């Protein structure tokens, strides 16, 4: 998917950016954990409303989706044999790391648990 197509598609979805990312009708296959990682990589606060994103933020988001999913695929492919029943997740930067130092700035990673869904992000790095 090209950036213009991605942007167009994003415009059809109202609401908070993280909700859009985990929505299968937007893009299939981005789970809760990867949505947190993508938003961290893009420097975007998970509760930002889609309508407030600038075109450069949308471009960062587009890039981050590719980068995070490609990295994840590579790690999981290499380590799949380690333990088939255990999800390989310790390489994640912020998801599941509430209270631990942000890998970018060192301030504690925030954690919000709402609607049975964990959201982790850095209040300093993600705006
Ligand atoms: Zn940070």
């Amino acid at each position: 998917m090209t950036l213009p197509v991605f942007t167009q598609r994003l415009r059809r979805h109202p609401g908070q950016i993280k909700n859009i990312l985990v929505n299968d009708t937007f893009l299939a296959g981005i789970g809760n954990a990867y949505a947190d990682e993508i938003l961290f990589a893009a420097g975007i606060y998970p509760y930002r409303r889609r309508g407030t994103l600038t075109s450069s933020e949308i471009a960062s988001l587009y890039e981050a989706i590719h980068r995070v999913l490609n990295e994840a695929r590579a790690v999981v492919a290499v380590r799949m044999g380690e333990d088939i029943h255990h999800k390989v997740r310790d390489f994640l930067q912020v998801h599941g790391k509430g209270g631990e130092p942000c890998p970018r700035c060192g301030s504690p990673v925030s954690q919000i648990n709402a609607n049975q869904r964990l959201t982790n992000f850095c209040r300093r790095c993600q705006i």
Side-chain angles (χ1 to χ4, degrees):
M1 197 191 308
T2 61
L3 178 57
V5 172
F6 175 78
T7 306
Q8 235 176 28
R9 203 161 163 157
L10 193 60
R11 286 209 184 101
R12 291 204 292 263
H13 294 267
Q16 294 172 341
I17 190 62
K18 181 170 175 184
N19 289 340
I20 297 171
L21 288 182
V22 297
N23 181 345
D24 272 348
T25 67
F26 175 61
L27 279 178
I30 300 181
N32 187 45
Y34 289 136
D36 282 356
E37 295 299 300
I38 288 163
L39 290 168
F40 177 72
I44 297 171
Y45 181 67
Y47 301 104
R48 279 280 295 281
R49 301 199 74 82
R50 189 270 298 153
T52 70
L53 297 177
T54 65
S55 47
S56 83
E57 286 172 326
I58 292 172
S60 306
L61 186 64
Y62 173 77
E63 277 237 333
I65 289 172
H66 287 273
R67 198 165 67 233
V68 167
L69 295 184
N70 284 337
E71 279 172 17
R73 252 178 235 128
V75 172
V76 172
V78 168
R79 294 180 44 189
M80 211 40 192
E82 285 182 16
D83 181 355
I84 204 84
H85 300 295
H86 178 75
K87 276 196 179 174
V88 180
R89 284 198 158 174
D90 53 7
F91 66 94
L92 300 178
Q93 305 270 294
V94 289
H95 186 78
K97 315 263 182 185
E100 292 180 32
C102 165
R104 210 174 285 156
C105 75
S107 44
V109 170
S110 297
Q111 177 159 311
I112 290 177
N113 205 341
N115 308 320
Q116 304 178 336
R117 200 173 69 187
L118 195 63
T119 294
N120 293 106
F121 57 97
C122 175
R123 284 182 197 276
R124 194 180 286 174
C125 298
Q126 292 174 252
I127 53 167

